[in-house]
Amino acid sequence: MSGNPYDNAYAVDNVYGHTIALLKEYRISDGDGVHLDLAAGFGVIGEVVQSELGRQYVGVDLDSEGLRSARARGLEMHAHDLTLPDTFSFIEKILAGRRVRSISILDGLEHIGTASGLLDVIAQLCRSNDAHVVVSVPNVTHQDVTHKLLLGEWDYTVSGLLDATHIEFFSEKSLVAKLGAAGLHRVGMQNVELSQSDQHFPSTHPALQDGTTLNSFLRYVRESAESNGRVNQFVWSCVAGPAQASHLVDSTDVQDDRPFLTILTRTQGRRIAELREVFNCLAGQTSDDFEVLVLGHKVLTSDQIQVEQAIEDNPRWLRERIRYVKVDHGGRATPLNVGMQSARGRYVVVLDDDDNVFAHWVEAFLTSERRKPGALLRAVATMQSVDRVTVRQVPGIRAIGSPKFPYAPSFSFTSHLVSNSTPLMSIAFPRGIFDDLGMTFDETMTTTEDWDLILRSAAIVGVEDSKKITAIYHWWETEESSRTEHESREWQLNHLAIDRKLDALPILLPIGEARAVRDLVTGRAGNGGDEDHNSAVQTNTHLRIGLLRRIATILESRSWRIQAPMRALSQLFGGGPALRMSDCVTYSTDELASTIQKLEASRSWRTTSWMRRARRVQ
């Protein structure tokens, strides 16, 4: 070792070893030939190329110290300034008719710059020789660099990620664009990862120390958004192909013609009358700054025809804003993620095919965005029991009872840690959480995927409340719904999964939540603060108490206890465990209502209905 900062040793786990691995893995052709190493430095890979690949090593560089070192070891080295316009003819001359089998340029582009046309030369050599090239550059978006930059620090060093001689810096996105503009396309990669780079200083910096909450939070946000936080050097294998257009973005000339809102409507094609009602609601909106994606999830062909007809029957202006997207795989969350990828709106909201919204629904979200752009936008939904009816052979739905108001007008992150009081149609997500933070609906969850995403995104971008009632959440009494399709135990397991996920993450509490935490700790919750919130909490509490009382009435009834032996026999043959009142105490409002529905539909309850009728007669 010479003491030169660029004279580094070969190792299987550094950029040189990873380069050799890629050269072996993506070997396009065998036989005699040359490996051309551009910006070769000290020719560190030369001996390994010749011994393990069986190719003649030819290096090109301008540094005299590196040239002397490599030549002293018997390697063929040539002095040339790779920024000069005659680089291609120079290389042709030194090759003297020898065929290039592979090329490498390791940690050279950041010193040379891509404006020199060197990448065009490399692409031309790859095409004419049927060769491939391994490119490596430092990753300027390593977490040590970005964490310090976030706090206003940018430290040039003698070598490393922020080498003072670098004239161009690369992220994954910018490197893909630069290579693509020359017609070079990545086919493999073996990046070098380091949790602590040469920029990991000072050791006392709170953003760099693993034990700090700040570091944990920054890593969580970064790793969700992009996976290169620990990548120290990009090491890619590329082949030549068509060149791609490349241009620098002029921030003063960016035209954003997105609609305000993308509405995602999931449907399985079984509720056509309800889907038509959704379209009627959208046709009456006071703001038409929206588009609609109808997400047909595992829809049968016969049902899809009806869905498409329902779309076609809309007024022309609305029909032109609706796109049908077929999704024939995955669970409940899959069509939502597919819809997010196709959405054009600045915000995205989910309106399923069995719920209704009022005329000012879109307008309420739009007004909230003006107050707090980029935050989650939350309105309020009512809940109403409904049933399906047919009148003169025309299907429809009817309300059963008066609307209930179980959802708080104001969003409380603290309260949402316990249970969800925000139905999906009453909250709009900013597209930035998907595009820039990498958040998606968790497709491993069979229920509560909405609650999970609301909590994760609210902790990052916050929530803006409109406090306006804009939607009706339909509570199906007899029809299938997510409550009836999934067992109570399944809901509980998903709740626990959310708890574990949140327990593993650093969480920022939105402004104002400190008071809610103090009230919980001191026992003052409900005795002050936001009157609307407290009123809604009390309403929700009364609703829960009523549902718990109904479950207790069933479980303690004489007719239920008489059927205990039959239920015990059923359990012996694989039936689920007996429901205990202690289990229900932890259930959400939705789970309690679903439990009542299942109890009342059970054989134990139905077969003893005569006993309850007789008791009422007496």
Side-chain angles (χ1 to χ4, degrees):
M1 303 295 290
S2 64
N4 188 302
Y6 304 116
D7 185 9
N8 299 303
Y10 178 93
V12 295
D13 60 350
N14 66 9
V15 64
Y16 305 123
H18 288 204
T19 296
I20 296 298
L22 284 174
L23 290 173
K24 290 179 178 178
E25 183 176 356
Y26 293 93
R27 185 182 302 180
I28 296 177
S29 57
D30 293 315
D32 296 335
V34 167
H35 173 82
L36 180 63
D37 191 14
L38 302 176
F42 287 76
V44 178
I45 65 172
E47 290 87 350
V48 183
V49 164
Q50 295 184 154
S51 63
E52 297 190 15
L53 294 179
R55 294 174 183 167
Q56 186 176 357
Y57 176 85
V58 177
V60 179
D61 203 287
L62 194 60
D63 180 71
S64 57
E65 185 179 356
L67 291 170
R68 285 196 303 270
S69 173
R71 286 168 179 166
R73 303 195 320 267
L75 298 176
E76 180 182 340
M77 297 291 287
H78 299 272
H80 182 73
D81 184 349
L82 293 171
T83 64
L84 295 177
D86 67 341
T87 295
F88 184 79
S89 60
F90 175 82
I91 292 174
E92 292 260 278
K93 180 180 177 181
I94 65 173
L95 289 175
R98 293 174 294 180
R99 182 174 181 181
V100 176
R101 296 290 185 177
S102 54
I103 305 171
S104 59
I105 177 164
L106 309 181
D107 298 342
L109 288 178
E110 66 275 15
H111 296 276
I112 299 170
T114 54
S116 67
L118 181 58
L119 287 177
D120 295 321
V121 171
I122 293 173
Q124 188 175 352
L125 288 167
C126 286
R127 291 190 187 94
S128 60
N129 291 273
D130 192 24
H132 70 122
V133 58
V134 174
V135 178
S136 81
V137 296
N139 172 28
V140 75
T141 66
H142 188 283
Q143 60 191 19
D144 289 344
V145 177
T146 57
H147 290 186
K148 290 166 64 175
L149 181 60
L150 183 66
L151 300 180
E153 297 185 30
W154 179 269
D155 297 313
Y156 280 111
T157 52
V158 175
S159 62
L161 292 176
L162 299 184
D163 186 322
T165 65
H166 290 179
I167 63 174
E168 190 162 4
F169 298 99
F170 293 96
S171 65
E172 179 180 26
K173 184 177 180 179
S174 68
L175 183 57
V176 167
K178 291 287 187 179
L179 294 173
L184 294 172
H185 305 277
R186 181 176 61 188
V187 294
M189 63 180 175
Q190 288 202 21
N191 297 331
V192 176
E193 295 190 359
L194 290 176
S195 295
Q196 296 185 5
S197 72
D198 68 288
Q199 282 287 318
H200 196 84
F201 67 87
S203 60
T204 56
H205 198 302
L208 301 181
Q209 292 182 295
D210 289 344
T212 67
T213 303
L214 175 62
N215 177 269
S216 297
F217 180 75
L218 292 177
R219 281 191 290 107
Y220 158 60
V221 175
R222 172 61 194 281
E223 290 168 5
S224 298
E226 201 246 15
S227 61
N228 294 316
R230 295 191 300 113
V231 172
N232 196 71
Q233 288 165 293
F234 297 118
V235 188
W236 297 352
S237 181
C238 302
V239 296
Q244 296 179 336
S246 177
H247 63 277
L248 296 177
V249 177
D250 183 354
S251 60
T252 63
D253 191 37
V254 175
Q255 300 295 323
D256 192 351
D257 59 351
R258 299 179 183 276
F260 160 62
L261 191 65
T262 295
I263 301 165
L264 303 182
T265 298
R266 286 179 294 192
T267 185
Q268 292 183 313
R270 300 200 295 259
R271 289 174 171 163
I272 300 301
E274 292 85 341
L275 180 61
R276 291 180 181 275
E277 282 295 316
V278 168
F279 292 147
N280 286 338
C281 292
L282 297 181
Q285 291 297 306
T286 55
S287 171
D288 62 0
D289 195 1
F290 63 84
E291 65 168 359
V292 185
L293 297 186
V294 176
L295 307 169
H297 190 210
K298 299 179 181 178
V299 178
L300 299 176
T301 302
S302 57
D303 292 332
Q304 181 173 324
I305 293 173
Q306 295 188 68
V307 171
E308 292 174 346
Q309 185 60 56
I311 295 173
E312 186 65 24
D313 290 342
N314 286 297
R316 180 178 177 181
W317 73 267
L318 178 58
R319 185 171 64 247
E320 291 176 346
R321 295 166 190 243
I322 300 175
R323 287 181 282 155
Y324 180 80
V325 180
K326 184 177 181 179
V327 185
D328 59 2
H329 65 286
R332 282 171 47 85
T334 300
L336 298 181
N337 286 331
V338 171
M340 295 297 182
Q341 295 171 3
S342 302
R344 294 181 56 249
R346 300 194 303 273
Y347 273 80
V348 180
V349 68
V350 179
L351 175 61
D352 284 331
D353 64 358
D354 59 345
D355 294 313
N356 287 168
V357 292
F358 301 139
H360 63 298
W361 180 60
V362 174
E363 183 181 355
F365 287 137
L366 188 56
T367 301
S368 295
E369 187 209 22
R370 296 190 184 109
R371 291 195 302 267
K372 196 171 180 180
L376 294 175
L377 309 177
R378 184 180 183 271
V380 184
T382 64
M383 177 193 292
Q384 189 167 36
S385 296
V386 294
D387 200 358
R388 180 173 289 178
V389 295
T390 300
V391 178
R392 295 182 179 179
Q393 299 182 337
V394 177
I397 60 174
R398 65 177 177 184
I400 302 175
S402 301
K404 299 181 177 64
F405 300 88
Y407 308 117
S410 299
F411 181 86
S412 167
F413 188 88
T414 306
S415 298
H416 275 71
L417 289 173
V418 180
S419 62
N420 185 24
S421 65
T422 303
L424 259 179
M425 87 290 291
S426 62
I427 193 156
F429 299 91
R431 72 174 300 110
I433 69 169
F434 310 108
D435 290 352
D436 304 310
L437 298 184
M439 292 187 177
T440 60
F441 287 95
D442 188 342
E443 295 186 28
T444 67
M445 306 189 76
T446 54
T447 63
T448 66
E449 73 283 350
D450 51 345
W451 182 24
D452 169 63
L453 184 60
I454 289 170
L455 283 172
R456 286 189 286 122
S457 52
I460 304 295
V461 301
V463 180
E464 174 63 15
D465 287 302
S466 77
K467 298 185 180 181
K468 294 181 179 179
I469 298 174
T470 61
I472 302 175
Y473 176 46
H474 284 157
W475 186 277
W476 292 94
E477 292 291 342
T478 58
E479 294 292 318
E480 288 186 355
S481 67
S482 60
R483 301 187 312 278
T484 60
E485 291 176 354
H486 304 279
E487 297 290 335
S488 296
R489 180 63 176 168
E490 189 175 349
W491 284 84
Q492 191 172 18
L493 289 174
N494 284 317
H495 285 194
L496 292 174
I498 294 175
D499 290 343
R500 287 194 298 270
K501 188 181 297 186
L502 291 172
D503 289 343
L505 299 176
I507 295 176
L508 283 181
L509 288 179
I511 295 173
E513 287 297 318
R515 182 183 65 187
V517 174
R518 286 196 304 270
D519 288 347
L520 285 174
V521 172
T522 60
R524 293 182 299 177
N527 296 325
D530 191 320
E531 293 182 1
D532 289 337
H533 174 69
N534 291 331
S535 175
V537 170
Q538 291 173 4
T539 300
N540 190 46
T541 300
H542 291 321
L543 180 60
R544 282 179 55 81
I545 291 173
L547 295 172
L548 285 167
R549 283 175 175 168
R550 176 57 180 161
I551 293 174
T553 299
I554 294 174
L555 297 183
E556 295 172 3
S557 66
R558 181 167 174 263
S559 56
W560 185 262
R561 284 183 277 119
I562 286 176
Q563 288 289 317
M566 297 302 296
R567 291 193 299 276
L569 184 63
S570 173
Q571 292 167 23
L572 290 176
F573 290 94
L579 178 67
R580 297 174 301 180
M581 197 63 202
S582 58
D583 296 329
C584 300
V585 175
T586 63
Y587 286 4
S588 68
T589 302
D590 284 0
E591 290 176 300
L592 292 173
S594 177
T595 299
I596 292 172
Q597 191 174 30
K598 291 177 181 178
L599 288 174
E600 293 179 341
S602 67
R603 180 175 298 179
S604 292
W605 193 248
R606 287 185 287 106
T607 56
T608 56
S609 60
W610 62 271
M611 296 178 61
R612 295 186 293 279
R613 286 196 299 270
R615 187 179 180 84
R616 285 196 294 269
V617 170
Q618 293 176 357

